[in-house]
Amino acid sequence: MSSENRNEGALRPLSHDVALLLLDSFGKQGVLSSWGARLTDMAPGSCEISVPMGPAVTQQHGYFHGGVIGAVADSAGGYAANTLLMPANECLTAEYKINIVAPGIGDTLVARGKVVKAGKNLVVSCAEVFAVTQGEEKLCAIMQQTLFVIPKA
Amino acid sequence: MSSENRNEGALRPLSHDVALLLLDSFGKQGVLSSWGARLTDMAPGSCEISVPMGPAVTQQHGYFHGGVIGAVADSAGGYAANTLLMPANECLTAEYKINIVAPGIGDTLVARGKVVKAGKNLVVSCAEVFAVTQGEEKLCAIMQQTLFVIPKA
Amino acid sequence: MSSENRNEGALRPLSHDVALLLLDSFGKQGVLSSWGARLTDMAPGSCEISVPMGPAVTQQHGYFHGGVIGAVADSAGGYAANTLLMPANECLTAEYKINIVAPGIGDTLVARGKVVKAGKNLVVSCAEVFAVTQGEEKLCAIMQQTLFVIPKA
Amino acid sequence: MSSENRNEGALRPLSHDVALLLLDSFGKQGVLSSWGARLTDMAPGSCEISVPMGPAVTQQHGYFHGGVIGAVADSAGGYAANTLLMPANECLTAEYKINIVAPGIGDTLVARGKVVKAGKNLVVSCAEVFAVTQGEEKLCAIMQQTLFVIPKA
């Protein structure tokens, strides 16, 4: 994907006010909190979320569950959009599609979301999800997503 | 969707052995257990999963999180496939795509998965997810999914 | 899928004015015309499009091309939405996802689109595509789609 | 997307034999031929297809039809996989999902497919589609796709 489209705002810093709004919204997401998920990087048009391995995120073989991988990818794409929409607006997920390309085996799951196209009403984001073992990243999923823009509550 | 394709096996009962294998696999999924998810119906080619509202399944407004909706739909489609694949085989999620059509507002989330096409190597399932308030169901998401068949571990 | 959600308007007839607008729009689609595609059924919330086999719709084995199957499914879902949106509005495809579940072998391709949820700004449709051989239908694809509502040009 | 995963083979040249097999397969696709589509670039793990504007590729406003955009993206992703699979194997499209992010306005449509993950049985590809006006490219769609590997016919 061309970096021009994916990360137009990467050279601009994220404003302090927007960063606080993002952290506030993120902290209210019970499901992410219950997994120990953290916002580990933010810039205009992109967002990184990290989740440690633990008993509440596993499937039957003890790996990261595909549903967790999907949920974290969905959130990373949505918060990437929010970096461009807040403080005036925010977004709801209209739909997402995820391909699991390798098992989620690792000590940490890292999802990196990026905005592909920010329209007035719709934002299209994508995300890559990596399973990380002692710092070594392995691609385990890719996601494509449509978000609908609404006024910030 | 035509019922002929969606639920070919519905007239056959699910064997006791397969039901036990499904419940055993389901019980090992840490993420579903942590949400209090239960297998509330099973038949050849279909599966229903129910999740009660609670602090570990919410997004920022206190509704069922889109990632939870996706994870439960993914699981319902996968276990619908497993009803036809077990005991010899089981399946891995290759990919899924979900449209959220209404907020997940309710006391219970119910996902109903059905097999659309069971091939030798690939199974295509779909699912509908309902947000339920005091017994009244409202459609909140639809999912389409591709599963890859592997020998049962 | 529950018929209540999929085809709410099926009991109402489609107005003559809307039918003419749909046919006018359909007739302007060069790609569908070049394939000999026809609108073979319309009702509020649903639409059927049929395409005869011919040299301009094949892949390398002489079957209906996956891209043709996708294009016809996309159109069937979009026109299903238009039955509810016209005359005031119409829709653009934001995204679609299609699973090919069997080869497109037959003399005719028939796509049946239905509206799953008609919101103010977004419509979610789905479609089933059948490969037909001497009147016998075989499911060859299922599609899920998001459409964006715009004022009718 | 990380270039390591997307284009592992880009440093190796495509063998002459594989290039001939790709061109032979491509030439047999009636729908692509009818649009004047050409394979304009190939390398191990990637593929570019270009389509000129013409009466057989339009929607109702005279732009490239969404179904054409999808078909060309599907083909670009599939032939990107074939560069790695041929001569022993080839692939069938199991499913694809495409987001249209801008109208297909231009004199040429260019789709660039890349392999994200090449497994033994499944290949995951993605593609970007650009609408080109007098050499200036504008992103109009992104696609994600699952392909199933079969022995070369």
Side-chain angles (χ1 to χ4, degrees):
Chain A
M1 304 293 160
S2 61
S3 55
E4 309 83 81
N5 285 297
R6 295 255 155 152
N7 210 359
E8 290 170 348
L11 301 179
R12 291 182 287 123
L14 191 63
S15 84
H16 188 64
D17 285 356
V18 169
L20 287 180
L21 286 171
L22 287 165
L23 287 166
D24 179 62
S25 168
F26 192 85
K28 288 179 182 159
Q29 307 232 11
V31 67
L32 297 175
S33 300
S34 76
W35 294 339
R38 290 179 306 123
L39 265 173
T40 41
D41 199 17
M42 289 184 286
S46 69
C47 169
E48 182 187 276
I49 297 175
S50 301
V51 182
M53 174 48 76
V57 296
T58 57
Q59 36 83 289
Q60 69 272 31
H61 303 113
Y63 308 156
F64 284 99
H65 192 281
V68 174
I69 295 170
V72 175
D74 172 31
S75 298
Y79 279 102
N82 278 337
T83 63
L84 302 179
L85 296 172
M86 288 186 176
N89 295 307
E90 62 184 329
C91 62
L92 296 174
T93 297
E95 60 84 33
Y96 62 95
K97 180 260 203 287
I98 188 157
N99 279 75
I100 312 289
V101 301
I105 307 175
D107 51 63
T108 310
L109 196 70
V110 173
R112 297 197 181 103
K114 281 189 184 168
V115 173
V116 175
K117 173 70 180 273
K120 191 184 157 203
N121 297 291
L122 296 179
V123 177
V124 176
S125 290
C126 65
E128 290 184 315
V129 186
F130 298 88
V132 187
T133 304
Q134 296 184 312
E136 191 180 341
E137 298 189 348
K138 186 176 176 188
L139 184 70
C140 78
I142 58 170
M143 185 211 64
Q144 224 172 273
Q145 177 188 42
T146 309
L147 302 143
F148 186 66
V149 179
I150 57 169
K152 179 88 177 78
Chain B
M1 303 292 161
S2 62
S3 54
E4 309 85 80
N5 285 296
R6 294 254 156 154
N7 210 359
E8 289 168 348
L11 300 179
R12 291 181 288 124
L14 192 62
S15 84
H16 188 66
D17 286 355
V18 169
L20 288 180
L21 286 172
L22 288 166
L23 287 167
D24 179 63
S25 167
F26 193 85
K28 288 180 183 159
Q29 306 231 11
V31 66
L32 297 175
S33 300
S34 77
W35 294 340
R38 290 179 306 122
L39 265 174
T40 42
D41 199 16
M42 288 184 288
S46 69
C47 168
E48 182 187 275
I49 298 175
S50 301
V51 182
M53 174 48 77
V57 296
T58 57
Q59 36 83 290
Q60 69 274 29
H61 303 113
Y63 308 155
F64 283 99
H65 192 280
V68 174
I69 296 170
V72 175
D74 172 32
S75 297
Y79 279 100
N82 279 337
T83 64
L84 302 179
L85 297 171
M86 290 184 176
N89 295 307
E90 61 184 331
C91 62
L92 296 174
T93 298
E95 61 83 33
Y96 62 96
K97 179 261 203 287
I98 188 157
N99 279 76
I100 312 288
V101 302
I105 306 176
D107 51 63
T108 309
L109 196 71
V110 173
R112 297 197 182 103
K114 281 190 184 168
V115 172
V116 175
K117 173 70 179 273
K120 192 184 156 202
N121 297 292
L122 296 179
V123 178
V124 176
S125 290
C126 65
E128 290 184 314
V129 186
F130 298 88
V132 187
T133 303
Q134 297 185 312
E136 191 181 342
E137 298 190 348
K138 187 177 176 188
L139 184 70
C140 80
I142 59 170
M143 185 211 65
Q144 221 172 275
Q145 177 187 41
T146 309
L147 301 144
F148 186 67
V149 180
I150 56 169
K152 178 90 176 78
Chain C
M1 304 293 160
S2 61
S3 55
E4 309 84 79
N5 285 296
R6 295 256 155 153
N7 210 358
E8 289 168 349
L11 300 179
R12 290 181 288 124
L14 192 64
S15 84
H16 188 65
D17 285 357
V18 169
L20 288 180
L21 286 171
L22 287 165
L23 288 167
D24 179 62
S25 168
F26 192 85
K28 288 179 183 159
Q29 306 231 12
V31 67
L32 297 175
S33 300
S34 76
W35 294 339
R38 290 178 306 122
L39 265 173
T40 41
D41 200 16
M42 289 184 287
S46 70
C47 169
E48 182 187 276
I49 297 175
S50 300
V51 181
M53 175 48 77
V57 296
T58 57
Q59 37 82 289
Q60 69 274 28
H61 304 114
Y63 307 155
F64 283 99
H65 192 281
V68 173
I69 295 170
V72 175
D74 172 32
S75 297
Y79 279 101
N82 279 337
T83 63
L84 302 179
L85 296 171
M86 290 185 175
N89 295 308
E90 61 184 331
C91 62
L92 296 174
T93 297
E95 60 83 33
Y96 63 95
K97 180 260 201 287
I98 189 158
N99 279 75
I100 311 289
V101 301
I105 306 176
D107 51 63
T108 310
L109 196 72
V110 173
R112 297 197 181 104
K114 280 189 185 168
V115 172
V116 175
K117 173 70 179 273
K120 192 184 155 202
N121 297 291
L122 296 179
V123 178
V124 176
S125 290
C126 65
E128 291 184 314
V129 185
F130 298 88
V132 187
T133 303
Q134 296 185 312
E136 190 180 342
E137 297 191 347
K138 186 175 176 188
L139 184 69
C140 78
I142 58 170
M143 184 211 66
Q144 223 172 274
Q145 176 187 43
T146 309
L147 302 144
F148 186 66
V149 179
I150 57 170
K152 178 91 175 78
Chain D
M1 304 293 161
S2 62
S3 55
E4 308 84 81
N5 286 296
R6 295 255 156 154
N7 210 0
E8 289 169 350
L11 300 179
R12 291 182 288 123
L14 192 63
S15 84
H16 188 64
D17 285 355
V18 169
L20 288 181
L21 286 171
L22 288 165
L23 287 167
D24 179 61
S25 168
F26 192 86
K28 288 178 183 161
Q29 307 232 11
V31 67
L32 296 176
S33 300
S34 77
W35 293 340
R38 289 180 305 122
L39 265 174
T40 40
D41 201 16
M42 289 183 287
S46 69
C47 168
E48 182 187 276
I49 298 175
S50 301
V51 182
M53 175 49 76
V57 296
T58 57
Q59 36 83 288
Q60 69 273 30
H61 303 114
Y63 307 156
F64 283 99
H65 192 281
V68 173
I69 295 170
V72 175
D74 172 32
S75 298
Y79 279 101
N82 278 337
T83 62
L84 302 179
L85 296 171
M86 290 185 175
N89 295 307
E90 62 184 329
C91 61
L92 296 174
T93 297
E95 60 84 33
Y96 63 94
K97 180 261 203 285
I98 188 158
N99 279 76
I100 312 289
V101 301
I105 307 175
D107 51 64
T108 310
L109 196 71
V110 174
R112 298 197 181 103
K114 280 188 185 169
V115 172
V116 175
K117 173 71 180 272
K120 191 185 158 201
N121 297 291
L122 296 179
V123 178
V124 176
S125 290
C126 64
E128 290 184 314
V129 185
F130 298 89
V132 187
T133 304
Q134 296 185 312
E136 191 180 342
E137 298 190 348
K138 187 176 175 187
L139 184 69
C140 78
I142 58 170
M143 184 209 65
Q144 224 172 273
Q145 177 188 41
T146 308
L147 302 144
F148 185 66
V149 179
I150 57 170
K152 179 89 176 79

